[in-house]
Amino acid sequence: MISSEKIKWQEVKGWAETHSVRSLVSYPLSKTDCVELSNYAKENSLTILPVGSSYTFGDMILNKDNMILNTCRMNKILSWDNTSGIMIVEPGVKVADVLGISLIENWTLCSIPGGLEVTIAGAVSNNIHGKDSWKVGNFGDHVIKMKLLTSSGKTIDVERSQNKDLFKAVVGGMGLIGIILEITLQLKKIPSAYVKLSSISTKNISESLNKLRESLKENDFSIAWIDAFSKNSTLGRGYVTSAKWIKKEGKIDEKRLSKSLRMSKRIFDILPAKPIWYILRPFYNSTIFKILNKFIYHRNRWGDGNKGSGKVILFTEFNFMHNKIPNINHVQRPYGFIEVQFLFPIVNGLEAITECLSICQEYGYEPFLCAVKMHKADDYMISFSGDGYSFNVDIPLRNVKLQKAKLIANLLFQIAVKYNGKIYLAKDELLSQELFNKIYPNHKKFLKIKNEIDPYGLYSSDLYKRLFHSN
């Protein structure tokens, strides 16, 4: 008999909060719990979706009328070797938990995004990326092996060197192969926990991309912030911010590190987030952000941005900008928003991003806060990777009919197909199965492995039903 503490019906949303579904949510504490809950699901003809902190935007973390197995409470660091940099963790361990231990001893976790609350199993399942992915690859490249609970109840070791195809399906596999019980990570040795910043302004999208590529030669992290509202010869102007690891003598300020690893309850540690997002909702529109983008661009060009070059700060203070703007998605309530993140090959990235920006301006849906990052290719089956640029477009649904948002998204999807680009599935909820099949040609190989490991069809999600079911 499963207790109500372990399982209950709840309304569940993706991070973009466009809609909610009813699911039977469970919170296992151990492998034994996972086996018990899996048996319960099979006995009651339910499917299971393993999730972590639920920062995925769309329907990848939704499983309507079925079970969600949230592994956040399986959060022990099982071992840490500060000589080899190898760490073994349970699935619910968060990025912040790892860095709180490793940075003190000059080791870091690579390929991590701007959110501290991401779980390690979630990072594996989405094969996440960061501002360093162009150099060190996506997150899966830093995983040595995993333990996976399958739908038959068996636990199997998934290793890069032993069962390559299965490894390449689980990494980026969106929790559809099995329940990750344990992950062995390879961390990277660094000279200290500090980075040195640099920033340079750019006049248009061409210069933004050129400066972004140039910045890779001397740095470990790089990102271009672009003004999606600027037009004509200044289209895509902005600035490139970079950072590189440096050697800094003396003991790390552990109190400062601890603070940088905690999610703030205040926006930029000043304004209380909950009431501020509520107050700002009526003003969260393109007119305000057009002014804000212009202000940010000129401030960076003439003032604080360039003055910040050469500044030395903790890596965590540089990388985790989301920490300073907690719960920013709440400003979009109650409507939510659609986000599309592309990855375009370098060879046609300029043309592709230019077309995307032009369509956004034509329809009046310029991305409010827009970033471009560089990536490198890998061979995981359903991986958002490639030698190219990633670029995001968000479409707020306030005062917008979903049908119009779908129209705009579909125009953008066609650009992805035209330029051999990809759509990041962790942020998608509108891609059609036809376009998915074109963008991710390895989906059949992925599905074959899933069916071999999960012949019961136990693991599923709303995204899986949308993109895979008739394949």
Side-chain angles (χ1 to χ4, degrees), residues 205 209 212-213 340-357 359 371-377 384-393 411-424 439:
I205 186 60
L209 299 185
L212 180 62
R213 290 196 306 273
V340 183
Q341 186 169 9
F342 305 90
L343 198 156
F344 294 118
I346 291 174
V347 65
N348 50 31
L350 174 60
E351 293 82 1
I353 294 175
T354 300
E355 279 195 33
C356 285
L357 289 173
I359 284 179
V372 179
K373 295 189 290 287
M374 294 288 293
H375 295 250
K376 66 185 293 188
F384 186 70
S385 72
D387 295 313
Y389 309 101
S390 67
F391 163 77
N392 62 284
V393 172
L411 291 173
L412 296 171
F413 292 154
Q414 296 299 330
I415 296 176
V417 173
K418 175 181 177 181
Y419 289 105
N420 297 313
K422 288 187 175 181
I423 304 296
Y424 193 24
I439 291 170

Coordinates of all heavy atoms in Angstrom, one line a residue, residues 205 209 212-213 340-357 359 371-377 384-393 411-424 439:
I205 N 24.0 42.7 -35.8 CA 24.1 41.2 -35.5 C 25.3 40.6 -36.2 O 25.9 39.7 -35.6 CB 22.8 40.5 -36.1 CG1 22.8 39.1 -35.7 CG2 22.6 40.7 -37.6 CD1 22.8 38.8 -34.2
L209 N 28.0 38.5 -33.8 CA 28.5 37.1 -34.0 C 30.0 37.0 -34.3 O 30.6 36.1 -33.8 CB 27.7 36.5 -35.2 CG 26.2 36.4 -35.1 CD1 25.6 35.7 -36.3 CD2 25.8 35.7 -33.8
L212 N 31.6 37.5 -30.9 CA 31.4 36.3 -30.1 C 32.4 35.2 -30.5 O 33.0 34.6 -29.6 CB 29.9 35.8 -30.3 CG 29.5 34.6 -29.5 CD1 29.6 34.8 -28.0 CD2 28.1 34.1 -29.9
R213 N 32.6 35.0 -31.7 CA 33.6 34.0 -32.2 C 35.0 34.4 -31.8 O 35.8 33.6 -31.3 CB 33.5 33.8 -33.7 CG 32.2 33.1 -34.2 CD 32.4 32.6 -35.6 NE 32.8 33.7 -36.5 CZ 32.0 34.5 -37.1 NH1 30.7 34.4 -37.0 NH2 32.5 35.4 -38.0
V340 N 10.9 29.7 -28.0 CA 11.5 28.9 -29.0 C 13.0 29.2 -28.9 O 13.4 30.3 -29.0 CB 11.0 29.2 -30.4 CG1 11.6 28.2 -31.4 CG2 9.5 29.1 -30.5
Q341 N 13.8 28.1 -28.7 CA 15.2 28.3 -28.8 C 15.8 27.5 -30.0 O 15.5 26.3 -30.1 CB 15.9 27.9 -27.5 CG 17.4 28.2 -27.5 CD 18.0 28.0 -26.1 OE1 17.4 27.5 -25.2 NE2 19.3 28.4 -26.0
F342 N 16.5 28.2 -30.8 CA 17.1 27.6 -32.0 C 18.6 27.3 -31.8 O 19.3 27.9 -31.0 CB 17.0 28.6 -33.2 CG 15.6 29.1 -33.5 CD1 15.2 30.2 -32.9 CD2 14.8 28.4 -34.4 CE1 13.9 30.7 -33.2 CE2 13.5 28.9 -34.7 CZ 13.1 30.0 -34.1
L343 N 19.1 26.4 -32.7 CA 20.5 26.2 -32.9 C 20.8 26.2 -34.4 O 20.3 25.3 -35.0 CB 21.0 25.0 -32.2 CG 22.6 24.9 -31.9 CD1 22.9 24.0 -30.8 CD2 23.4 24.5 -33.2
F344 N 21.5 27.2 -34.9 CA 21.8 27.3 -36.3 C 23.3 27.0 -36.6 O 24.1 27.5 -35.8 CB 21.4 28.7 -36.8 CG 20.0 29.0 -36.8 CD1 19.5 30.1 -36.0 CD2 19.1 28.3 -37.5 CE1 18.2 30.4 -36.0 CE2 17.7 28.6 -37.5 CZ 17.3 29.7 -36.7
P345 N 23.6 26.3 -37.6 CA 25.0 26.1 -38.0 C 25.7 27.4 -38.3 O 25.1 28.4 -38.7 CB 24.9 25.2 -39.3 CG 23.5 24.6 -39.3 CD 22.7 25.6 -38.6
I346 N 27.0 27.4 -38.0 CA 27.8 28.6 -38.2 C 27.7 29.1 -39.6 O 27.6 30.3 -39.8 CB 29.3 28.4 -37.8 CG1 29.4 28.2 -36.3 CG2 30.2 29.6 -38.2 CD1 30.8 27.8 -35.8
V347 N 27.7 28.2 -40.5 CA 27.8 28.6 -41.9 C 26.6 29.5 -42.4 O 26.8 30.4 -43.3 CB 27.9 27.3 -42.8 CG1 26.6 26.5 -42.7 CG2 28.2 27.7 -44.3
N348 N 25.5 29.3 -41.8 CA 24.3 30.2 -42.2 C 23.6 30.8 -41.0 O 22.5 31.2 -41.1 CB 23.3 29.4 -43.0 CG 22.9 28.1 -42.4 OD1 22.9 27.9 -41.1 ND2 22.6 27.1 -43.2
G349 N 24.4 30.9 -39.9 CA 23.8 31.4 -38.6 C 23.4 32.9 -38.8 O 22.3 33.3 -38.3
L350 N 24.2 33.7 -39.4 CA 23.9 35.1 -39.6 C 22.6 35.3 -40.4 O 21.7 36.1 -39.9 CB 25.0 35.8 -40.3 CG 24.8 37.3 -40.7 CD1 24.5 38.1 -39.4 CD2 26.0 37.9 -41.5
E351 N 22.4 34.6 -41.5 CA 21.2 34.7 -42.3 C 20.0 34.3 -41.5 O 18.9 34.9 -41.5 CB 21.3 33.9 -43.6 CG 22.4 34.5 -44.5 CD 23.8 34.0 -44.2 OE1 24.0 33.3 -43.2 OE2 24.7 34.4 -44.9
A352 N 20.1 33.1 -40.8 CA 19.0 32.5 -40.0 C 18.6 33.5 -38.9 O 17.3 33.7 -38.8 CB 19.4 31.2 -39.5
I353 N 19.5 34.0 -38.1 CA 19.1 34.8 -37.0 C 18.5 36.1 -37.5 O 17.6 36.7 -36.9 CB 20.3 35.1 -36.1 CG1 20.7 33.7 -35.4 CG2 20.0 36.1 -35.0 CD1 22.0 33.8 -34.5
T354 N 19.1 36.6 -38.6 CA 18.6 37.9 -39.2 C 17.1 37.7 -39.6 O 16.2 38.6 -39.4 CB 19.4 38.3 -40.4 OG1 20.7 38.6 -39.9 CG2 18.9 39.6 -41.0
E355 N 16.8 36.5 -40.2 CA 15.4 36.3 -40.7 C 14.5 36.2 -39.5 O 13.4 36.7 -39.5 CB 15.4 35.0 -41.5 CG 15.8 35.2 -42.9 CD 15.4 34.0 -43.8 OE1 14.3 33.4 -43.6 OE2 16.1 33.7 -44.8
C356 N 15.0 35.5 -38.4 CA 14.1 35.3 -37.2 C 13.8 36.7 -36.6 O 12.7 37.0 -36.3 CB 14.9 34.5 -36.2 SG 14.9 32.7 -36.5
L357 N 14.8 37.6 -36.5 CA 14.6 38.9 -35.9 C 13.7 39.7 -36.8 O 12.8 40.4 -36.3 CB 16.0 39.6 -35.8 CG 16.9 39.1 -34.7 CD1 18.3 39.8 -34.8 CD2 16.3 39.3 -33.3
I359 N 11.2 38.6 -38.7 CA 9.9 38.1 -38.6 C 9.3 38.6 -37.3 O 8.1 39.0 -37.2 CB 9.8 36.5 -38.7 CG1 10.0 36.1 -40.1 CG2 8.6 36.0 -38.1 CD1 10.0 34.6 -40.4
A371 N 19.6 36.3 -26.1 CA 21.1 36.0 -26.0 C 21.4 35.0 -27.1 O 20.6 34.2 -27.6 CB 21.3 35.3 -24.6
V372 N 22.7 35.1 -27.5 CA 23.3 34.1 -28.5 C 24.5 33.5 -27.8 O 25.4 34.1 -27.3 CB 23.7 34.8 -29.8 CG1 24.3 33.8 -30.7 CG2 22.5 35.5 -30.4
K373 N 24.5 32.1 -27.9 CA 25.7 31.4 -27.4 C 26.2 30.5 -28.5 O 25.6 30.2 -29.5 CB 25.3 30.5 -26.2 CG 24.8 31.3 -25.0 CD 24.6 30.4 -23.8 CE 23.4 29.5 -23.9 NZ 22.2 30.2 -23.7
M374 N 27.5 30.0 -28.3 CA 28.1 29.1 -29.3 C 28.1 27.7 -28.7 O 28.1 27.5 -27.5 CB 29.6 29.5 -29.5 CG 29.8 30.9 -30.2 SD 29.4 30.8 -31.9 CE 30.6 29.8 -32.6
H375 N 28.0 26.7 -29.6 CA 27.9 25.3 -29.3 C 28.9 24.5 -30.1 O 29.5 25.0 -31.1 CB 26.5 24.8 -29.5 CG 25.5 25.4 -28.7 ND1 24.8 24.8 -27.7 CD2 25.0 26.7 -28.7 CE1 24.0 25.6 -27.1 NE2 24.0 26.8 -27.7
K376 N 29.1 23.2 -29.7 CA 29.8 22.3 -30.5 C 29.0 21.0 -30.7 O 28.1 20.7 -29.8 CB 31.2 22.0 -29.9 CG 31.1 21.2 -28.5 CD 32.5 21.1 -27.9 CE 33.4 20.1 -28.7 NZ 34.6 19.8 -28.0
A377 N 29.3 20.3 -31.7 CA 28.5 19.1 -32.0 C 28.8 17.9 -31.0 O 29.9 17.8 -30.5 CB 28.7 18.7 -33.4
F384 N 20.3 18.7 -28.4 CA 20.4 20.1 -28.9 C 21.9 20.5 -29.0 O 22.4 21.1 -28.1 CB 19.6 21.0 -27.9 CG 19.5 22.4 -28.4 CD1 18.6 22.8 -29.4 CD2 20.1 23.4 -27.7 CE1 18.5 24.1 -29.8 CE2 20.0 24.8 -28.1 CZ 19.2 25.1 -29.2
S385 N 22.5 20.1 -30.1 CA 23.9 20.3 -30.2 C 24.3 20.6 -31.7 O 23.5 20.3 -32.6 CB 24.7 19.1 -29.7 OG 24.6 18.0 -30.6
G386 N 25.4 21.1 -31.9 CA 25.9 21.4 -33.3 C 27.0 22.5 -33.3 O 27.0 23.2 -32.3
D387 N 27.7 22.6 -34.3 CA 28.7 23.7 -34.4 C 28.0 24.9 -34.9 O 27.9 25.1 -36.1 CB 29.8 23.3 -35.4 CG 30.7 22.1 -34.8 OD1 31.0 22.1 -33.7 OD2 30.9 21.1 -35.6
G388 N 27.5 25.7 -33.9 CA 26.7 26.8 -34.3 C 26.3 27.7 -33.2 O 26.9 27.7 -32.1
Y389 N 25.3 28.5 -33.5 CA 24.8 29.5 -32.5 C 23.4 29.1 -32.0 O 22.5 28.8 -32.8 CB 24.6 30.9 -33.2 CG 25.8 31.4 -34.0 CD1 25.8 31.3 -35.4 CD2 26.9 32.0 -33.4 CE1 26.9 31.8 -36.1 CE2 27.9 32.5 -34.1 CZ 27.9 32.4 -35.5 OH 29.0 32.9 -36.2
S390 N 23.2 29.3 -30.7 CA 21.8 29.2 -30.2 C 21.2 30.6 -30.0 O 22.0 31.5 -29.7 CB 21.8 28.4 -28.9 OG 22.4 29.0 -27.8
F391 N 19.9 30.6 -30.1 CA 19.3 31.9 -30.1 C 17.8 31.7 -29.7 O 17.2 30.8 -30.1 CB 19.3 32.5 -31.6 CG 18.4 33.6 -31.9 CD1 18.6 34.9 -31.5 CD2 17.3 33.3 -32.7 CE1 17.7 35.9 -31.9 CE2 16.4 34.3 -33.0 CZ 16.6 35.6 -32.6
N392 N 17.3 32.6 -28.8 CA 15.9 32.4 -28.3 C 14.9 33.5 -28.7 O 15.3 34.6 -28.8 CB 16.0 32.2 -26.8 CG 16.5 33.5 -26.1 OD1 17.7 33.8 -26.1 ND2 15.6 34.3 -25.5
V393 N 13.7 33.1 -28.8 CA 12.6 34.0 -29.1 C 11.5 33.6 -28.1 O 11.1 32.5 -28.0 CB 12.0 33.8 -30.5 CG1 10.8 34.7 -30.7 CG2 13.1 34.3 -31.5
L411 N 6.2 29.9 -38.3 CA 7.0 30.6 -39.3 C 8.5 30.5 -38.9 O 9.4 30.3 -39.7 CB 6.6 32.1 -39.3 CG 5.3 32.4 -40.0 CD1 5.0 33.9 -39.8 CD2 5.3 32.1 -41.4
L412 N 8.8 30.6 -37.6 CA 10.1 30.4 -37.0 C 10.6 29.0 -37.2 O 11.8 28.8 -37.5 CB 10.2 30.9 -35.6 CG 9.8 32.3 -35.3 CD1 9.7 32.6 -33.8 CD2 10.9 33.3 -35.9
F413 N 9.7 28.0 -37.0 CA 10.1 26.6 -37.2 C 10.6 26.4 -38.6 O 11.5 25.6 -38.9 CB 9.0 25.7 -36.9 CG 8.6 25.6 -35.4 CD1 7.3 25.3 -35.0 CD2 9.5 25.9 -34.4 CE1 6.9 25.3 -33.7 CE2 9.2 25.9 -33.1 CZ 7.9 25.5 -32.7
Q414 N 9.9 27.0 -39.6 CA 10.2 26.8 -41.0 C 11.6 27.4 -41.3 O 12.4 26.8 -42.1 CB 9.2 27.5 -41.9 CG 7.8 27.0 -41.8 CD 7.7 25.5 -42.2 OE1 8.5 25.0 -43.0 NE2 6.8 24.8 -41.6
I415 N 12.1 28.4 -40.6 CA 13.4 28.9 -40.7 C 14.4 27.9 -40.2 O 15.5 27.7 -40.8 CB 13.6 30.3 -40.0 CG1 12.7 31.3 -40.6 CG2 15.1 30.7 -40.0 CD1 12.7 32.7 -39.8
A416 N 14.1 27.2 -39.1 CA 14.9 26.2 -38.6 C 15.2 25.1 -39.6 O 16.3 24.6 -39.8 CB 14.4 25.6 -37.3
V417 N 14.1 24.7 -40.2 CA 14.2 23.6 -41.3 C 15.0 24.1 -42.5 O 15.9 23.4 -43.0 CB 12.8 23.2 -41.7 CG1 12.9 22.2 -42.9 CG2 12.0 22.5 -40.6
K418 N 14.7 25.3 -42.9 CA 15.4 25.9 -44.0 C 16.9 26.0 -43.9 O 17.7 25.7 -44.8 CB 14.9 27.3 -44.3 CG 15.5 28.1 -45.4 CD 15.0 29.5 -45.5 CE 15.7 30.4 -46.5 NZ 15.1 31.8 -46.6
Y419 N 17.4 26.3 -42.6 CA 18.8 26.4 -42.4 C 19.4 25.3 -41.6 O 20.5 25.4 -41.0 CB 19.0 27.7 -41.6 CG 18.8 29.0 -42.5 CD1 17.7 29.7 -42.3 CD2 19.7 29.3 -43.5 CE1 17.4 30.9 -43.1 CE2 19.5 30.5 -44.3 CZ 18.4 31.2 -44.1 OH 18.1 32.4 -44.9
N420 N 18.7 24.1 -41.7 CA 19.3 22.9 -41.0 C 19.5 23.2 -39.5 O 20.5 22.7 -38.9 CB 20.6 22.4 -41.7 CG 20.3 22.0 -43.1 OD1 19.4 21.3 -43.4 ND2 21.2 22.5 -44.0
G421 N 18.6 23.9 -38.9 CA 18.7 24.2 -37.5 C 18.0 23.2 -36.6 O 17.4 22.2 -37.1
K422 N 18.1 23.4 -35.3 CA 17.4 22.6 -34.3 C 16.5 23.4 -33.4 O 16.8 24.6 -33.2 CB 18.4 21.8 -33.5 CG 19.0 20.6 -34.3 CD 19.9 19.8 -33.3 CE 20.4 18.6 -34.1 NZ 21.3 17.7 -33.2
I423 N 15.5 22.8 -32.8 CA 14.7 23.4 -31.8 C 15.0 22.7 -30.4 O 14.9 21.5 -30.4 CB 13.2 23.3 -32.1 CG1 12.9 23.9 -33.5 CG2 12.3 24.0 -31.0 CD1 13.2 25.4 -33.6
Y424 N 15.2 23.5 -29.4 CA 15.5 22.9 -28.1 C 14.2 22.3 -27.5 O 13.2 23.1 -27.2 CB 16.1 23.9 -27.2 CG 16.7 23.4 -25.9 CD1 17.2 22.1 -25.8 CD2 16.8 24.2 -24.8 CE1 17.8 21.6 -24.7 CE2 17.4 23.8 -23.6 CZ 17.9 22.5 -23.6 OH 18.5 22.0 -22.4
I439 N 14.0 17.6 -38.0 CA 15.0 18.3 -37.3 C 15.9 17.3 -36.5 O 17.1 17.5 -36.3 CB 14.4 19.3 -36.3 CG1 13.8 20.5 -37.1 CG2 15.4 19.8 -35.3 CD1 12.9 21.4 -36.3

